[in-house]
Amino acid sequence: MVIKNWRRALLPAAVLALVAAAPGAPAAASAPAAEYERIVNGDFSAGSDPWWTGANTSGSVTGGEYCVAVTGGTANGYDALSGQNGVPYEAGQSYTLSFDARATVEQPISAVAGEAVAPYRQIARTDVTVTPVKQTFTFTFESTLDFPTAGNGQFAFWFGGQSFDNTVCVDNVSVVGGVLPPPGLEPAPPLRVNQVGYVPGVPKQASFATDSTTPLPWTLRDSAGTSVATGQTVPKGHDAASDENVHTIDFSSYDREGSGYTLTVGDVVSHPFDISATAMSDLRYDSLAFFYHQRSGTPIEAQYVGEEYARPAGHVNVAPNRGDDDVPCRADLNCGYTLDVRGGWYDAGDHGKYVVNGGISAWQLQNSYERAALIGDEAAMGDGTLAIPEQSNGVPDVLDEARWEVEFLLSMQVPDGQPLAGMAHHKIHDEQWTGLPTLPHEDAQPRRLSAPSTAATLNLAAVAAQASRLWAPYDAEFSARTLAVAKKAYAAAKANPSRLADPNDGTGGGAYSDSTVTDEFYWAAAELFATTGEYRADVTGSALYGGKSFNVHGFDWAATGALGDVTLLLVPRDLPADAVRAALLSTADAHLANMAGMGHPAPYRTADGGYEWGSNGLVANNGVVLGLAHDLTGAAKYRDGAFAAMDYLLGRNPVDHSYVAGWGDQPVRNVHHRHWANQLDPSLPTAPAGALSGGPNSALQDPIAARLLPGCAPQRCWVDHIEAYSLNEVTVNWNSALAWLSNWVAEHSVPSAVPSGCKVAYTASTWQTGMTAQLTMTNTGTSAWDAWRLEFAFSGGERIQHGWSATWTQTDRAVRAENVAWNTRVAPGASVTLGFNASKTGTHTPPAAFKVNGQVCTNA
Ligand code: 9MR
């Protein structure tokens, strides 16, 4: 059970340009004023979202009103604010503002319509005096500025400027007027494909939204525009998740590898995509790179991420940061000690570090490795595979990345000698929300530890126990240390079994409160049992033993029982796992049955059919369940289901976007993130390749979503907008699910049996900082090439310095070589030899795949 209580202030109490107030200004006589409500949740019937509070204020809904505790002693009204952003205003239009207000002690307040970002222009400011008796205030004003829906318009109350602490309560806040109608839902282009690519031997399906009730002809074309396959769509009727009439296109029988394919139905052409065993192979590296980007307490270096994403270390005590080296508890806790909690990953678009969420993410990276290692497939995550500082330390890189978080989790444990020794603090984050953009090193907020919680303590126990067994071959000291911490944490949780995180502790960071910890107890016991063989009775005695945690909703930070089950299935111990296996398979079957009825199949179902915060993370995790079902049985149907989950995430969805940044023809760009804030500041980057958007959320829990998407069907409740944090944020736990699934997908992608028309032989000689490579490319087809383009990708930090016998270009890791005048034509059976010199960091791994003119070649 998750309690949603999460807000953020997007407005620092910065200098507001004070423009003459215009209370009571007459309505413009000429323009018609329609009854369009501009305020979202003005009666607070839906809780406090999307209202935010800033410095010196904290708000909560009590008795149907929104009551804001205001700290006294501020100089100006705008030193204590609460409001909402994205409010639309139109220049020349008149608006009627009304609200109810009262205060414990009489004080002046202001109601201000204006701009949410610098220069904070004002449209109208109304000053009133509020008293202990509730009053209703009504004013009209004319807008002098234009702000579109979900733009930078703002409505705010100013509560500051007096010496004393006070509580001000408001209700029924309304701004009505203007001619801008509420936004309708723009339907996305109707032909939706996996924009990255399909894998030979696996079903290849697309979705087409149309009013037609009869089959329609489709055509598959190669990159030259030549028709290579045709067929008829299959009408599936009305699809509840998209509220569309959907047809399915199945082109599974076409298996020739290549890039630049498109599907066509009538005049509608799809995004281009590949058919290739390597189409999604490198997604595992990009999705894992996300974790290096999110590292706290260390500079993010250009040599690993490129200049665009490099940044200074965050929270290392360099002004304006306060540093994570000496963090006290929240003032109300009086814990009497500070902790050094440097390191770890920032959770998401904010700068909080949360044990429950960081814990499951580290677990999932470690589990991805543990599963692959069990079947001898771990080399793809080995040393030298990721662009991280630890890439040549002899330890698998995915374990190095997870350790960055595990070390942080260990540091969150309450020290010996303290009353709750052995427990873990639930989280550490800013005292107040910061605005966007704010890079980690620019965050000036005080950092605070929240109280220890049973859930965090069990997360620590589970992940540390898992780390202990995985690190045993590489670092005996760390393995022993993590096990000792895990045992101590588990004992502390047993002694304090119901210390729940405060659901209202959601200012400056997310609450991550969880009212049920039976699942965390089960998970921790399972990890300790898998590592030590002890704790058996705790596993078998749990109400969840026997696979009770699997269901079609899925697992996440608040529902962790399935993590214990996965470990029991994977790690051989003397405990029957038949019931766990049966439960996993029946859940996988239930996913497949649901997906068969969907227009855009995704393995995920809630009780009411809605999609919730982080739905993409749940889709990916349920893809993990399907992948495991395939591992356990070898049945193709489960493999197909796991690939279909990836199809959904990469573009076969009713918003026609790839939810993975940098992947696909139309990928997400403007995720909610304080660094990747290009939408707000063009000098900052968009999301880096491999970052997964949270995905559709039909509860519309942020102002942008509430304004732009009213009435949306579940799978369409999404928009690529940086302020839409309830559906377009990124987090470590969603990306860990993507990393697990994309590693599995890469592992299960097998080259086409259809013969290809080219062959490439590749040899390289390397030294520490450089290399020379030679390629021989042969036309094995039956017709001559009149021009050619060879493409491949590096997996590490190689940079081509000089190449020969072709025109060479490199973009990030992608390399392209095009014919020069004297080797343009290559007859059937003929070869061309070419090569390059490159600088490099870390180990060089030969490129996995080569393409000539978009077609995947055989490796010679
Ligand atoms: O992922 C979390 C989701 O399950 C909750 O419903 C939501 C509201 O409590 O919070 C999400 O977590 C956010 C966290 O509170 C703060 N950092 C960003 C997280 C992702 O949006």
Side-chain angles (χ1 to χ4, degrees):
M1 167 77 184
V2 182
I3 297 176
K4 297 187 172 27
N5 182 346
W6 191 54
R7 279 174 313 282
R8 59 186 59 204
L10 301 175
L11 179 76
V15 185
L16 289 151
L18 295 180
V19 177
S30 53
E35 291 294 291
Y36 296 135
E37 178 58 75
R38 306 290 149 152
I39 298 294
V40 174
N41 188 29
D43 63 2
F44 304 96
S45 57
S48 56
D49 283 331
W51 293 88
W52 47 256
T53 49
N56 304 309
T57 51
S58 78
S60 60
V61 177
T62 332
E65 297 172 309
Y66 184 55
C67 292
V68 179
V70 184
T71 310
T74 56
N76 308 295
Y78 53 76
D79 289 337
L81 297 170
S82 178
Q84 62 175 254
N85 294 353
V87 181
Y89 300 107
E90 298 145 79
Q93 293 300 312
S94 75
Y95 297 86
T96 302
L97 159 68
S98 60
F99 58 95
D100 302 340
R102 64 184 181 88
T104 308
V105 182
E106 180 173 315
Q107 74 156 87
I109 68 168
S110 306
V112 183
E115 188 171 27
V117 297
Y120 305 109
R121 291 171 295 170
Q122 278 183 27
I123 295 168
R125 173 176 144 193
T126 301
D127 299 329
V128 299
T129 298
V130 289
T131 67
V133 178
K134 188 198 283 191
Q135 303 171 75
T136 299
F137 301 96
T138 305
F139 302 92
T140 56
F141 64 89
E142 183 175 329
S143 183
T144 46
L145 300 172
D146 259 323
F147 291 112
T149 304
N152 285 330
Q154 181 184 75
F155 176 81
F157 288 109
W158 295 6
F159 296 133
Q162 59 284 318
S163 55
F164 49 89
D165 291 354
N166 203 3
T167 298
V168 185
C169 300
V170 295
D171 199 0
N172 299 318
V173 187
S174 164
V175 175
V176 168
V179 291
L180 195 67
L185 272 177
E186 282 287 314
L191 183 39
R192 294 111 189 206
V193 297
N194 177 335
Q195 299 173 14
V196 174
Y198 296 86
V199 165
V202 177
K204 299 176 204 69
Q205 294 185 332
S207 301
F208 185 63
T210 172
D211 289 338
S212 169
T213 51
T214 54
L216 299 168
W218 58 259
T219 306
L220 175 69
R221 296 180 197 281
D222 66 15
S223 60
T226 309
S227 164
V228 294
T230 57
Q232 295 279 312
T233 63
V234 178
K236 290 187 73 73
H238 179 261
D239 172 54
S242 63
D243 191 21
E244 293 171 323
N245 190 50
V246 181
H247 293 202
T248 298
I249 295 167
D250 191 325
F251 55 106
S252 302
S253 59
Y254 187 82
D255 253 353
R256 184 181 285 276
E257 297 197 41
S259 58
Y261 287 104
T262 49
L263 277 169
T264 308
V265 180
D267 303 341
V268 182
V269 182
S270 75
H271 295 281
F273 54 85
D274 291 0
I275 296 175
S276 161
T278 57
M280 292 175 277
S281 298
D282 284 346
L283 182 51
R284 55 182 157 192
Y285 300 120
D286 280 355
S287 55
L288 285 169
F290 178 85
F291 295 88
Y292 176 67
H293 282 282
Q294 292 291 105
R295 284 191 190 186
S296 176
T298 189
I300 303 308
E301 296 185 46
Q303 62 172 308
Y304 306 116
V305 295
E307 291 295 339
E308 200 184 359
Y309 292 98
R311 60 167 171 82
H315 301 100
V316 288
N317 229 338
V318 174
N321 275 178
R322 313 288 178 99
D324 281 353
D325 54 328
D326 195 21
V327 180
C329 296
R330 286 169 53 118
D332 53 336
L333 298 178
N334 281 322
C335 67
Y337 57 85
T338 60
L339 291 183
D340 179 350
V341 292
R342 281 172 296 176
W345 301 313
Y346 298 119
D347 182 59
D350 61 326
H351 299 144
K353 304 191 290 192
Y354 310 91
V355 170
V356 291
N357 209 44
I360 72 157
S361 310
W363 179 89
Q364 197 154 33
L365 297 196
Q366 294 185 153
N367 181 260
S368 184
Y369 179 81
E370 186 163 40
R371 184 206 64 85
L374 277 171
I375 55 168
D377 252 345
E378 73 278 24
M381 286 178 282
D383 202 28
T385 56
L386 294 182
I388 56 174
E390 302 82 2
Q391 68 188 180
S392 51
N393 66 354
V395 176
D397 283 347
V398 71
L399 294 185
D400 285 324
E401 189 56 68
R403 182 170 174 165
W404 188 264
E405 178 69 11
V406 174
E407 295 274 11
F408 159 74
L409 298 175
L410 302 181
S411 75
M412 291 289 278
Q413 195 166 34
V414 178
D416 286 344
Q418 300 296 339
L420 293 174
M423 298 280 287
H425 286 272
H426 197 64
K427 52 182 187 157
I428 175 243
H429 58 69
D430 290 341
E431 210 167 62
Q432 297 290 337
W433 289 111
T434 55
L436 275 78
T438 302
L439 271 67
H441 69 285
E442 297 168 346
D443 176 9
Q445 280 291 319
R447 307 279 280 175
R448 294 289 179 258
L449 294 164
S450 290
S453 72
T454 309
T457 305
L458 291 166
N459 258 263
L460 170 63
V463 180
Q466 180 202 30
S468 173
R469 63 177 184 269
L470 292 171
W471 278 89
Y474 301 105
D475 186 339
E477 183 280 327
F478 187 59
S479 172
R481 180 155 57 97
T482 43
L483 185 57
V485 166
K487 288 181 166 182
K488 184 191 276 190
Y490 189 69
K494 279 188 131 180
N496 296 278
S498 53
R499 283 189 181 264
L500 302 182
D502 177 1
N504 292 314
D505 183 7
T507 300
Y512 278 119
S513 62
D514 181 355
S515 54
T516 308
V517 292
T518 320
D519 49 337
E520 279 81 9
F521 268 111
Y522 177 66
W523 173 35
E527 294 299 341
L528 280 160
F529 171 70
T531 302
T532 65
E534 303 157 29
Y535 302 87
R536 186 191 180 99
D538 287 25
V539 175
T540 56
S542 167
L544 296 177
Y545 178 53
K548 302 277 190 330
S549 304
F550 289 113
N551 56 53
V552 290
H553 173 263
F555 58 88
D556 66 4
W557 61 269
T560 58
L563 310 185
D565 285 328
V566 169
T567 290
L568 293 181
L569 282 171
L570 293 181
V571 183
R573 281 276 169 199
D574 172 26
L575 187 66
D578 299 359
V580 183
R581 178 190 153 101
L584 183 141
L585 296 181
S586 74
T587 301
D589 285 327
H591 283 310
L592 296 179
N594 287 338
M595 292 162 82
M598 298 177 79
H600 307 84
Y604 165 61
R605 176 151 297 185
T606 57
D608 65 0
Y611 270 45
E612 72 206 294
W613 200 314
S615 66
N616 279 345
L618 288 152
V619 168
N621 274 337
N622 293 330
V624 167
V625 168
L626 287 160
L628 287 168
H630 177 73
D631 287 349
L632 291 173
T633 62
K637 61 179 181 176
Y638 299 128
R639 177 203 60 188
D640 300 349
F643 275 87
M646 201 60 121
D647 290 344
Y648 171 83
L649 295 174
L650 294 175
R652 188 188 177 194
N653 57 56
V655 297
D656 191 46
H657 271 71
S658 163
Y659 287 119
V660 181
W663 284 76
D665 197 40
Q666 168 115 315
V668 55
R669 294 166 51 87
N670 301 314
V671 298
H672 182 81
H673 197 276
R674 280 164 173 68
H675 178 189
W676 309 328
N678 177 272
Q679 190 183 350
L680 298 173
D681 178 348
S683 71
L684 293 171
T686 58
L692 176 66
S693 162
N697 174 3
S698 40
L700 306 181
Q701 287 161 286
D702 64 73
I704 300 308
R707 287 198 172 82
L708 291 180
L709 304 168
C712 53
Q715 283 187 344
R716 289 166 68 189
C717 297
W718 184 83
V719 59
D720 189 13
H721 193 297
I722 189 167
E723 310 273 24
Y725 52 81
S726 74
L727 46 79
N728 202 29
E729 190 156 359
V730 290
T731 66
V732 285
N733 61 313
W734 306 331
N735 247 83
S736 66
L738 179 67
W740 198 111
L741 183 61
S742 53
N743 186 62
W744 189 94
V745 158
E747 196 183 87
H748 289 79
S749 297
V750 186
S752 173
V754 179
S756 72
C758 52
K759 186 171 78 180
V760 173
Y762 179 92
T763 54
S765 59
T766 63
W767 58 99
Q768 198 170 3
T769 56
M771 56 174 290
T772 296
Q774 178 167 298
L775 301 95
T776 303
M777 183 183 73
T778 307
N779 180 350
T780 54
T782 48
S783 53
W785 304 335
D786 288 325
W788 52 265
R789 182 183 76 246
L790 169 70
E791 291 165 294
F792 59 89
F794 291 127
S795 57
E798 297 89 345
R799 297 290 324 165
I800 293 186
Q801 311 273 302
H802 165 71
W804 50 91
S805 301
T807 303
W808 292 85
T809 44
Q810 180 176 357
T811 311
D812 297 329
R813 293 176 180 181
V815 178
R816 172 185 279 226
E818 281 163 297
N819 59 270
V820 283
W822 53 267
N823 60 17
T824 306
R825 187 180 160 83
V826 184
S831 300
V832 176
T833 296
L834 59 164
F836 61 85
N837 290 330
S839 63
K840 70 176 190 59
T841 55
T843 318
H844 170 69
T845 310
F850 300 90
K851 283 182 194 169
V852 172
N853 296 344
Q855 191 177 127
V856 180
C857 303
T858 307
N859 290 349

